[in-house]
Amino acid sequence: MPNSFVGKGNLGTSPTLKTIRVVNEDRKVAEMRVFFDEYQYDEASQEYTQSGGFWMQVSLWDKRGEEAARLLRQGMRIKVEGRLREFEYKVDGTEIKVPGFQIIGDEVTLCLNRLESITVKPKREATEGATA
């Protein structure tokens, strides 16, 4: 069973859309780096201060990836839900392999506190002969 992940953070980069060949099929994937921060309330100053956090690579596949690449920009605050995946990579200039982690995103939503406006697409027209 995969590990579930849910976190809020800031996009460190705008998503990059790539086409990847997977089992004789071309698939789209959006890749982005997100800083998942942590805040604590300071009684003395009566303010929240950042107390930690971590960077994580996030991948969104297919239609969700295409939409993320089209809409999301560096600095936006998002909530990511997905699966934590472990992999190995070589440290630059060495043969040493170390573990790394990434999130395979199932859902990404915008946190509204940093938005100034939103434009919504027109409602899709019902297809002829379709029943409700």
mmCIF file of all heavy atoms in Angstrom, residues 87-92 94-101:
data_model
loop_
_atom_site.group_PDB
_atom_site.id
_atom_site.type_symbol
_atom_site.label_atom_id
_atom_site.label_comp_id
_atom_site.label_asym_id
_atom_site.label_seq_id
_atom_site.Cartn_x
_atom_site.Cartn_y
_atom_site.Cartn_z
ATOM 1 N N PHE A 87 12.866 6.843 -4.408
ATOM 2 C CA PHE A 87 13.713 6.454 -5.534
ATOM 3 C C PHE A 87 15.167 6.668 -5.125
ATOM 4 O O PHE A 87 15.438 7.229 -4.070
ATOM 5 C CB PHE A 87 13.365 7.264 -6.795
ATOM 6 C CG PHE A 87 13.612 8.740 -6.653
ATOM 7 C CD1 PHE A 87 14.806 9.305 -7.084
ATOM 8 C CD2 PHE A 87 12.655 9.571 -6.078
ATOM 9 C CE1 PHE A 87 15.040 10.665 -6.947
ATOM 10 C CE2 PHE A 87 12.883 10.932 -5.941
ATOM 11 C CZ PHE A 87 14.078 11.478 -6.372
ATOM 12 N N GLU A 88 16.105 6.208 -5.947
ATOM 13 C CA GLU A 88 17.517 6.424 -5.690
ATOM 14 C C GLU A 88 18.098 7.288 -6.791
ATOM 15 O O GLU A 88 17.685 7.196 -7.947
ATOM 16 C CB GLU A 88 18.284 5.096 -5.663
ATOM 17 C CG GLU A 88 18.086 4.306 -4.408
ATOM 18 C CD GLU A 88 19.013 3.093 -4.354
ATOM 19 O OE1 GLU A 88 19.532 2.662 -5.412
ATOM 20 O OE2 GLU A 88 19.218 2.575 -3.253
ATOM 21 N N TYR A 89 19.061 8.133 -6.424
ATOM 22 C CA TYR A 89 19.771 8.925 -7.424
ATOM 23 C C TYR A 89 21.242 9.008 -7.040
ATOM 24 O O TYR A 89 21.607 8.778 -5.890
ATOM 25 C CB TYR A 89 19.147 10.313 -7.583
ATOM 26 C CG TYR A 89 19.292 11.210 -6.369
ATOM 27 C CD1 TYR A 89 20.340 12.119 -6.285
ATOM 28 C CD2 TYR A 89 18.384 11.146 -5.316
ATOM 29 C CE1 TYR A 89 20.472 12.948 -5.180
ATOM 30 C CE2 TYR A 89 18.512 11.968 -4.213
ATOM 31 C CZ TYR A 89 19.566 12.863 -4.154
ATOM 32 O OH TYR A 89 19.700 13.669 -3.060
ATOM 33 N N LYS A 90 22.076 9.306 -8.037
ATOM 34 C CA LYS A 90 23.508 9.427 -7.800
ATOM 35 C C LYS A 90 23.846 10.872 -7.466
ATOM 36 O O LYS A 90 23.369 11.801 -8.118
ATOM 37 C CB LYS A 90 24.300 8.999 -9.029
ATOM 38 C CG LYS A 90 24.265 7.519 -9.278
ATOM 39 C CD LYS A 90 25.141 7.158 -10.463
ATOM 40 C CE LYS A 90 25.053 5.673 -10.741
ATOM 41 N NZ LYS A 90 25.857 5.323 -11.921
ATOM 42 N N VAL A 91 24.680 11.045 -6.441
ATOM 43 C CA VAL A 91 25.175 12.362 -6.067
ATOM 44 C C VAL A 91 26.073 12.845 -7.208
ATOM 45 O O VAL A 91 26.889 12.072 -7.730
ATOM 46 C CB VAL A 91 25.960 12.297 -4.745
ATOM 47 C CG1 VAL A 91 26.562 13.640 -4.392
ATOM 48 C CG2 VAL A 91 25.063 11.795 -3.627
ATOM 49 N N ASP A 92 25.909 14.112 -7.604
ATOM 50 C CA ASP A 92 26.684 14.669 -8.721
ATOM 51 C C ASP A 92 28.169 14.386 -8.585
ATOM 52 O O ASP A 92 28.765 14.633 -7.541
ATOM 53 C CB ASP A 92 26.463 16.183 -8.829
ATOM 54 C CG ASP A 92 25.079 16.529 -9.341
ATOM 55 O OD1 ASP A 92 24.418 15.637 -9.924
ATOM 56 O OD2 ASP A 92 24.647 17.674 -9.160
ATOM 57 N N THR A 94 29.748 11.570 -8.445
ATOM 58 C CA THR A 94 30.152 10.367 -7.704
ATOM 59 C C THR A 94 29.323 9.179 -8.178
ATOM 60 O O THR A 94 28.399 9.325 -8.979
ATOM 61 C CB THR A 94 29.925 10.532 -6.190
ATOM 62 O OG1 THR A 94 28.517 10.488 -5.922
ATOM 63 C CG2 THR A 94 30.502 11.826 -5.665
ATOM 64 N N GLU A 95 29.646 8.037 -7.655
ATOM 65 C CA GLU A 95 28.859 6.828 -7.904
ATOM 66 C C GLU A 95 28.004 6.476 -6.683
ATOM 67 O O GLU A 95 27.417 5.408 -6.613
ATOM 68 C CB GLU A 95 29.784 5.657 -8.260
ATOM 69 C CG GLU A 95 30.467 5.819 -9.607
ATOM 70 C CD GLU A 95 29.468 5.913 -10.764
ATOM 71 O OE1 GLU A 95 28.540 5.097 -10.815
ATOM 72 O OE2 GLU A 95 29.628 6.818 -11.612
ATOM 73 N N ILE A 96 27.936 7.393 -5.723
ATOM 74 C CA ILE A 96 27.190 7.154 -4.485
ATOM 75 C C ILE A 96 25.698 7.321 -4.762
ATOM 76 O O ILE A 96 25.258 8.351 -5.275
ATOM 77 C CB ILE A 96 27.635 8.127 -3.377
ATOM 78 C CG1 ILE A 96 29.118 7.929 -3.061
ATOM 79 C CG2 ILE A 96 26.778 7.950 -2.121
ATOM 80 C CD1 ILE A 96 29.700 8.986 -2.148
ATOM 81 N N LYS A 97 24.925 6.286 -4.401
ATOM 82 C CA LYS A 97 23.473 6.346 -4.539
ATOM 83 C C LYS A 97 22.849 6.697 -3.193
ATOM 84 O O LYS A 97 23.226 6.128 -2.169
ATOM 85 C CB LYS A 97 22.911 5.011 -5.032
ATOM 86 C CG LYS A 97 23.268 4.701 -6.458
ATOM 87 C CD LYS A 97 22.606 3.417 -6.911
ATOM 88 C CE LYS A 97 22.938 3.126 -8.357
ATOM 89 N NZ LYS A 97 22.308 1.879 -8.815
ATOM 90 N N VAL A 98 21.923 7.630 -3.218
ATOM 91 C CA VAL A 98 21.223 8.036 -1.999
ATOM 92 C C VAL A 98 19.721 8.004 -2.250
ATOM 93 O O VAL A 98 19.270 8.145 -3.398
ATOM 94 C CB VAL A 98 21.653 9.447 -1.521
ATOM 95 C CG1 VAL A 98 23.118 9.469 -1.131
ATOM 96 C CG2 VAL A 98 21.388 10.476 -2.587
ATOM 97 N N PRO A 99 18.935 7.803 -1.192
ATOM 98 C CA PRO A 99 17.484 7.782 -1.389
ATOM 99 C C PRO A 99 16.929 9.195 -1.565
ATOM 100 O O PRO A 99 17.446 10.164 -1.018
ATOM 101 C CB PRO A 99 16.952 7.152 -0.101
ATOM 102 C CG PRO A 99 18.005 7.432 0.921
ATOM 103 C CD PRO A 99 19.309 7.482 0.183
ATOM 104 N N GLY A 100 15.895 9.298 -2.349
ATOM 105 C CA GLY A 100 15.171 10.548 -2.541
ATOM 106 C C GLY A 100 13.678 10.258 -2.510
ATOM 107 O O GLY A 100 13.260 9.095 -2.583
ATOM 108 N N PHE A 101 12.889 11.290 -2.385
ATOM 109 C CA PHE A 101 11.442 11.133 -2.349
ATOM 110 C C PHE A 101 10.790 12.128 -3.297
ATOM 111 O O PHE A 101 11.327 13.211 -3.531
ATOM 112 C CB PHE A 101 10.905 11.367 -0.929
ATOM 113 C CG PHE A 101 11.352 10.328 0.047
ATOM 114 C CD1 PHE A 101 12.516 10.520 0.786
ATOM 115 C CD2 PHE A 101 10.634 9.164 0.227
ATOM 116 C CE1 PHE A 101 12.950 9.560 1.683
ATOM 117 C CE2 PHE A 101 11.060 8.198 1.124
ATOM 118 C CZ PHE A 101 12.213 8.400 1.850
#
